[in-house]
């Protein structure tokens, strides 16, 4: 493919002058910040460390906004949320060894949830690289090996001139479907060394578009057009590729019921006559999907949670659209279409014939009535009231972030995320401590909207340090802590499996007093006053904490 030379970005006269006469006092760190600015970054997250000081010193000479968290893993969660909310790359600046390794669990979540995070870490000096034991502080035999199993791609730098190209390649990788975290590492001495290289100008690192093969679209459209009982499962890929509008149009053209996975919350309107909502841990839902003669799965690998714990056995033909080639047909035989969800849905929308199915809305209604009757028969009024109070208090456009906690497990199935890309949880990798630092990242992305974080008291203890971050940057995050005195979901699991729980009961602080010691306003609430207290906290500027002492229970599973 030939490129016209004129297509390439040119330099302004000022940039050309700067190229010939670069300002004095620049180092390798400046090449990092200049490259990020040239690629369009505006905000970076991180935590400084000895080997990374050249990179952090360069921040003060840049136009980048810096949000510093107190633990690297939390900085990674904040970057993850920034990437999810904006769809843009979130730079994450880290130090070597312990600092780098502490970010691993956050990067695993970003990989599982397809969040575009660009981690840039320092390394020991070039002289120490190569796998020996040189005795440098923070030294690892092969630091990048620890990240290779987690991130999409690894990029190493050994000289200053490699910095812009390595960061641009990583940027493109992070934004190519499926989005994901990437890793760049730069030695300490390269970051610190003075450079006379020209100032980095605008760089093009446009992601490669992932289009579906046309013959597969023709085959899929034919199956869907002729189907008697089509159904659609919409996953996180629909949200990540901003394809909710295409999904709605396709579902209406086919008269096909739609269920959203827990990662795909908000991808389809909750109250739509074709909406099966998100009751994936429900045998009635599973049976309806199994009964479809053609099942379209978009942006989901049909993993453990999306397949009702691998009990799902489709009887009809499955069409799977997935940007991650490794997930195609990984759990079920299918007509596999390797594509970005948005591109494939757009092509399908043009190719399918119009279907009319007068029974579709009735089947959806019947299913939701069965689910409602099942839940109503389990004496779970408190849980439903608490979730309804959260929904009442939260503005429709406000993002919410949910930890791995019982109320979040309820929310996956029962919470109406009224707009796409507003409800996020740590269920990709399933680690604790996601919600609060992630909410801080979302607030940094758009401080004009309140953001809600929901955790249990166990998960809250992972993130207490970030109350200082919330206060320092005055971020509009309200943190709802459901305090049940332990790891509630594990308590349930262990009691069900073994008759009693071990290691789940926790001593915990007075969360209200603790928050106030950080200068963050806090209130202890009750199920009856939750909606009012949460509304007030969300409406107030800056950070706040709402503590709800409550012992919530899960609804009974129907996958056993």
């Amino acid at each position: 493919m030939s490129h016209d030379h004129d297509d390439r970005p040119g330099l302004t006269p000022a940039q050309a002058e700067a190229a010939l006469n670069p300002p004095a006092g620049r180092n390798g760190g400046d090449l990092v910040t200049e490259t990020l600015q040239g690629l369009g970054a505006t905000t970076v997250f991180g935590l400084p460390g000895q080997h990374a000081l050249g990179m952090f010193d360069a921040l003060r000479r840049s136009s980048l906004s810096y949000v510093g968290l107190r633990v690297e893993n939390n900085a990674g969660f904040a970057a993850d949320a920034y990437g999810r909310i904006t769809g843009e790359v979130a730079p994450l600046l880290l130090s070597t060894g312990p600092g780098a390794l502490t970010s691993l669990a956050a990067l695993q979540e970003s990989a599982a949830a397809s969040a575009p995070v660009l981690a840039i870490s320092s390394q020991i000096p070039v002289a120490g690289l190569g796998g020996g034991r040189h005795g440098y502080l923070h030294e690892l035999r092969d630091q990048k090996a620890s990240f290779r199993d987690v991130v999409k791609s690894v990029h190493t730098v050994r000289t200053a001139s490699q910095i812009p190209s390595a960061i641009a390649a990583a940027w493109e990788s992070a934004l190519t479907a499926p989005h994901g975290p990437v890793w760049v590492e730069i030695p300490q001495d390269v970051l610190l060394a003075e450079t006379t290289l020209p100032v980095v100008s605008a760089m093009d690192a446009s992601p490669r578009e992932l289009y579906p093969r046309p013959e597969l679209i023709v085959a899929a459209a034919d199956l869907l057009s002729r189907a008697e009982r089509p159904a659609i499962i919409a996953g996180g890929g629909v949200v990540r590729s901003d394809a909710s509008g295409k999904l709605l149009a396709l579902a209406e053209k086919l008269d096909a019921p739609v269920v959203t996975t827990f990662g795909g919350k908000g991808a389809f309107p909750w109250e739509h006559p074709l909406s099966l909502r998100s009751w994936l841990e429900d045998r009635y839902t599973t049976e309806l999907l199994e009964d479809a003669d053609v099942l379209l799965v978009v942006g989901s690998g049909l993993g453990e949670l999306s397949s009702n714990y691998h009990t799902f056995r489709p009887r009809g033909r499955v069409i799977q659209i997935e940007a991650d080639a490794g997930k195609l047909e990984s759990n079920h035989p299918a007509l596999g279409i390797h594509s970005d969800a948005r591109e494939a849905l757009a092509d399908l929308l043009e190719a399918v014939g119009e279907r009319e199915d007068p029974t579709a809305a009735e089947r959806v209604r019947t299913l939701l009535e069965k689910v409602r009757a099942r839940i109503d028969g389990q004496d779970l009024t408190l849980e439903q009231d608490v979730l309804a109070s959260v929904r009442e208090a939260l503005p429709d456009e406000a993002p919410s972030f949910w930890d791995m906690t019982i109320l979040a497990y309820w929310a996956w199935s029962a919470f109406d995320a009224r707009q796409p890309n507003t409800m996020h949880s740590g269920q990709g990798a399933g680690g604790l401590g996601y919600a609060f630092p992630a909410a801080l990242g979302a607030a940094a992305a758009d401080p004009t909207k309140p953001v809600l974080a929901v955790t249990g008291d166990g998960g809250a203890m992972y993130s207490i340090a970030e109350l200082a971050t919330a206060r320092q940057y005055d971020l509009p995050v309200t943190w709802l802590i459901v305090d049940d005195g332990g790891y509630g979901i594990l308590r349930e699991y262990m009691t069900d499996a073994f008759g009693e729980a071990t290691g789940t009961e926790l001593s915990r602080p007075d969360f209200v007093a603790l928050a106030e010691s950080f200068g963050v306003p806090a209130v202890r609430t009750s199920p009856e006053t939750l909606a009012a207290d949460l509304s007030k906290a969300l409406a107030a500027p800056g950070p706040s904490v709402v503590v709800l002492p409550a012992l919530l229970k899960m609804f009974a599973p129907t996958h056993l």
Side-chain angles (χ1 to χ4, degrees):
M1 183 178 176
S2 63
H3 289 278
D4 190 318
H5 186 78
D6 293 338
D7 289 344
R8 300 179 195 174
L11 295 182
T12 64
Q15 286 173 322
E17 175 65 23
L20 294 173
N21 300 287
R26 291 161 64 244
N27 59 20
D30 288 279
L31 294 173
V32 173
T33 57
E34 289 165 11
T35 303
L36 290 174
Q37 287 171 197
L39 289 165
T42 56
T43 303
V44 300
F45 299 88
L47 206 155
Q50 182 177 321
H51 292 149
L53 294 181
M55 193 159 52
F56 280 81
D57 176 60
L59 280 175
R60 66 186 168 89
R61 292 186 289 278
S62 79
S63 63
L64 296 168
S65 297
Y66 169 65
V67 180
L69 285 93
R70 301 304 199 266
V71 186
E72 287 85 358
N73 197 45
N74 293 336
F77 285 144
D80 170 288
Y82 185 96
R84 293 193 203 194
I85 289 287
T86 63
E88 299 165 5
V89 174
L92 172 64
L93 307 186
L94 301 165
S95 191
T96 320
L101 294 176
T102 302
S103 73
L104 269 170
L107 294 174
Q108 185 189 357
E109 176 58 39
S110 299
S114 299
V117 174
L118 168 55
I120 304 176
S121 145
S122 56
Q123 243 301 13
I124 60 173
V126 173
L129 298 174
R133 285 290 192 204
H134 301 278
Y136 287 98
L137 186 72
H138 306 329
E139 181 179 359
L140 292 164
R141 279 175 298 179
D142 185 1
Q143 179 173 273
K144 62 184 179 296
S146 296
F147 293 84
R148 196 163 263 136
D149 181 49
V150 175
V151 298
K152 274 186 77 178
S153 58
V154 167
H155 308 259
T156 56
V157 167
R158 294 294 175 261
T159 66
S161 61
Q162 295 173 1
I163 289 173
S165 293
I167 292 175
W171 184 281
E172 179 183 341
S173 174
L175 275 188
T176 297
H179 292 176
V182 293
W183 183 259
V184 179
E185 57 180 36
I186 309 172
Q188 177 189 26
D189 47 345
V190 176
L191 288 170
L192 288 173
E194 195 169 326
T195 183
T196 56
L197 286 168
V199 173
V200 182
S201 64
M203 295 190 67
D204 181 21
S206 302
R208 288 174 292 107
E209 299 292 347
L210 189 53
Y211 295 110
R213 293 192 348 241
E215 76 276 13
L216 297 176
I217 291 294
V218 169
D222 180 62
L223 284 170
L224 288 165
S225 300
R226 292 188 294 109
E228 290 182 16
R229 295 177 313 283
I232 300 172
I233 298 177
V238 177
V239 176
R240 295 285 162 273
S241 66
D242 192 20
S244 303
K246 305 284 185 198
L247 172 68
L248 175 60
L250 182 66
E252 290 182 340
K253 192 170 182 183
L254 291 170
D255 242 350
V258 178
V259 67
T260 58
T261 70
F262 303 153
K265 296 287 290 184
F268 195 76
W270 190 255
E271 300 289 352
H272 193 283
L274 292 170
S275 174
L276 296 167
R277 305 189 175 178
S278 307
W279 289 98
L280 288 169
E281 287 187 69
D282 179 273
R283 192 66 224 166
Y284 296 127
T285 303
T286 305
E287 285 168 359
L288 187 147
L289 295 171
E290 287 174 336
D291 187 52
D293 59 337
V294 179
L295 181 67
L296 175 63
V297 182
V298 194
S300 170
L302 290 182
E304 184 177 33
L305 296 179
S306 303
S307 63
N308 205 353
Y309 299 88
H310 296 301
T311 61
F312 173 56
R313 299 281 181 270
R315 293 188 289 273
R317 289 292 302 274
V318 178
I319 301 164
Q320 186 184 14
I321 296 166
E322 176 55 59
D324 185 342
K327 291 181 180 175
L328 280 178
E329 297 192 77
S330 61
N331 288 311
H332 297 281
L335 173 66
I337 302 176
H338 184 216
S339 171
D340 178 68
R342 184 181 175 85
E343 305 297 345
L345 286 171
D347 288 359
L348 269 183
L349 190 54
E350 287 187 15
V352 297
E354 193 115 13
R355 274 185 84 257
E356 281 193 19
D357 185 350
T359 70
E362 182 58 36
R363 282 186 288 131
V364 170
R365 253 194 320 274
T366 303
L367 170 84
L368 293 177
E369 284 167 6
K370 286 181 181 175
V371 173
R372 166 60 48 214
R374 184 174 79 79
I375 298 299
D376 284 349
Q378 294 181 31
D379 189 25
L380 297 166
T381 307
L382 170 64
E383 290 75 7
Q384 294 179 76
D385 286 351
V386 168
L387 197 61
S389 293
V390 175
R391 181 62 280 175
E392 181 187 336
L394 187 67
D396 289 0
E397 72 283 357
S400 60
F401 291 83
W402 303 70
D403 221 51
M404 300 297 284
T405 187
I406 287 179
L407 190 58
Y409 285 36
W410 269 94
W412 293 345
S413 292
F415 192 76
D416 174 8
R418 291 183 183 149
Q419 293 186 14
N421 204 29
T422 54
M423 180 181 169
H424 303 274
S425 69
Q427 57 96 26
L432 271 179
Y434 173 77
F436 185 56
L440 298 178
D446 182 1
T448 67
K449 294 175 186 165
V451 184
L452 175 67
V454 181
T455 75
D457 57 291
M461 295 303 292
Y462 280 64
S463 316
I464 290 297
E466 305 311 337
L467 283 166
T469 304
R471 182 74 282 162
Q472 181 168 340
Y473 297 97
D474 199 30
L475 294 167
V477 174
T478 294
W479 186 4
L480 172 60
I481 301 172
V482 182
D483 183 358
D484 67 3
Y487 298 121
I489 196 72
L490 299 179
R491 180 194 285 141
E492 270 207 27
Y493 287 164
M494 292 189 81
T495 304
D496 289 348
F498 311 116
E500 60 181 294
T502 304
T504 59
E505 304 316 298
L506 300 172
S507 173
R508 67 271 192 211
D510 177 338
F511 287 109
V512 171
L514 183 59
E516 288 173 343
S517 75
F518 283 90
V520 173
V523 62
R524 184 172 284 98
T525 190
S526 68
E528 294 72 29
T529 56
L530 174 60
D533 286 338
L534 207 50
S535 295
K536 186 178 174 187
L538 286 161
S544 56
V545 170
V546 176
V547 181
L548 173 66
L551 182 60
L552 305 181
K553 300 198 295 273
M554 272 304 293
F555 51 84
T558 59
H559 55 268
L560 302 177

